[in-house]
Structure formats: structure tokens, C-alpha cells
Amino acid sequence: MFHLLDLAGVFVFALSGALMGVRKRLDVVGMGVLAGMTALGGGVVRDLILNVRPAAFQSVGYVLVPVAATVIVFFWHPHVARVMPAILVLDAAGLGLFCAVGTQKAMEYGLSPLHATLLGVTTAVGGGMLRDILSGEIPTLLYDRQLYAVPALVGSALMAGLYAYGLQGWPATLAAALLAFGLRIAAMRRKWRAPLARGLGD
């Protein structure tokens, strides 16, 4: 079940990457690269840090899903753009799942709770950073004005804490994912923003 949820998160992230390619007027190859980097980049970075073979290279689904997302956006990007509110909800779900799973995997490989939390955040937002860098944008992680990285950080911290106290398995992963998801949705609906330096206005 978690593998299917993981692929669902990959699909949603890939859609956002391909849409960025459309906005930047890239060809289908560029769209595919952004889709793949957005969907898989964070997990690949995590696994390389853990010195294990990236999960993205162990299943053909991790290759086919970004390709499918690219094809959908290539032909129907106006329709995909119109349903972005729904996609953002799915994106929040993917954020929660990726941060929880990334943190759990880091803990399983012996990292401290602090380092596992940081690696969980990397899993969740790393692909978006690569997407922004490749498309010439300032990475959203550097100006988290829509509280994207903060929910991932909170969810990762909960996952690390639960794991450290012996609470493992899908209930802990689900709890951490739901916390990050809920914070992200609340931030979008209530327009929460991370503060700027003192003296700077919005």
C-alpha cells in the first residue's frame, strides 16, 4: 500500500515539474527532465546520503510514472492547470508521505533523530529545489512564504521522535504524514506565511 502511495506522490510531484516546463516553454524533453527531477530528486539525494542504491532505480514504476505525468501535461496542460487546487491537495499529501517515509528510512539506517529529520525534509522538498534550480527560479525552500518546508519539518520531527521511542510501522508513518499534510492544507487555506527579517514588510 505504501508503495502505491509513494508512486501516487511521485505522480503528483511529476505533474508539478512538467507544468513548470510548460510555463518555461520547454520542449517535451525538458518537461520530462523537470518532472523526473521533481518527483525523484529528493529520494535519490536521500539514498545517496545513506549510501544505498536509490529506490528510484529498483522499480520500473518510478520511471514510468514521471513519463506518464509528462505525457498527460504535454497534451492536456490547460486542463491540468485548471485542476491545480485539487493537485495542490494531492501535493500536500505527497509532501507528508515523503517526509515521513524519508525520516523513517534514515532512522532505520542508524541516523540520529536530528539528522533523520533533516533528511526527511530533504526527501520531501529536494525534488522541488532541483526543479526550481533547473528552471532558473529561486528555490522555494529559500523563501518558504507558503509554509512548504515547515510542515515537512514538523512531520519529519514527529516521525523521528516516534521512531526513537519505539513506535514504528505504518501507524507512526501515517501520523507523521497526516500532521505534515494538515499543516500544509491549513497554511494554504489560512494563507500562513513564514516571517521575514525584522523590519521588512510583506
Side-chain angles (χ1 to χ4, degrees):
M1 180 179 179
F2 274 115
H3 179 64
L4 293 177
L5 290 173
D6 195 30
L7 289 178
V10 166
F11 179 72
V12 174
F13 282 9
L15 285 178
S16 71
L19 283 171
M20 175 67 80
V22 172
R23 289 196 292 271
K24 293 294 182 177
R25 301 185 63 83
L26 302 182
D27 60 23
V28 67
V29 176
M31 290 171 58
V33 169
L34 288 186
M37 286 294 182
T38 307
L40 306 175
V44 170
V45 170
R46 174 203 64 211
D47 290 342
L48 291 176
I49 291 174
L50 294 175
N51 197 29
V52 297
R53 184 171 65 175
F57 294 94
Q58 299 184 43
S59 171
V60 68
Y62 289 102
V63 177
L64 296 181
V65 168
V67 170
T70 301
V71 171
I72 290 172
V73 173
F74 181 82
F75 287 105
W76 298 289
H77 60 87
H79 305 287
V80 175
R82 278 199 293 271
V83 297
M84 273 306 294
I87 291 176
L88 287 175
V89 173
L90 295 176
D91 180 83
L95 178 81
L97 180 66
F98 279 19
C99 76
V101 171
T103 304
Q104 177 177 299
K105 187 169 184 178
M107 292 291 287
E108 289 173 351
Y109 276 84
L111 269 67
S112 70
L114 173 60
H115 292 104
T117 297
L118 295 177
L119 202 51
V121 175
T122 299
T123 305
V125 306
M129 284 192 64
L130 292 174
R131 174 201 63 209
D132 294 340
I133 291 171
L134 288 174
S135 59
E137 299 286 334
I138 299 175
T140 54
L141 183 64
L142 301 182
Y143 61 104
D144 195 20
R145 299 292 286 146
Q146 295 184 342
L147 290 192
Y148 196 79
V150 171
L153 178 63
V154 174
S156 296
L158 176 62
M159 183 70 241
L162 292 175
Y163 194 100
Y165 282 97
L167 299 174
Q168 305 169 17
W170 70 264
T173 305
L174 183 61
L178 286 176
L179 177 60
F181 171 76
L183 285 175
R184 174 61 180 150
I185 293 296
M188 288 192 298
R189 291 185 175 179
R190 296 179 178 273
K191 300 186 184 303
W192 290 343
R193 298 289 185 266
L196 296 173
R198 183 179 179 184
L200 296 179
D202 289 333

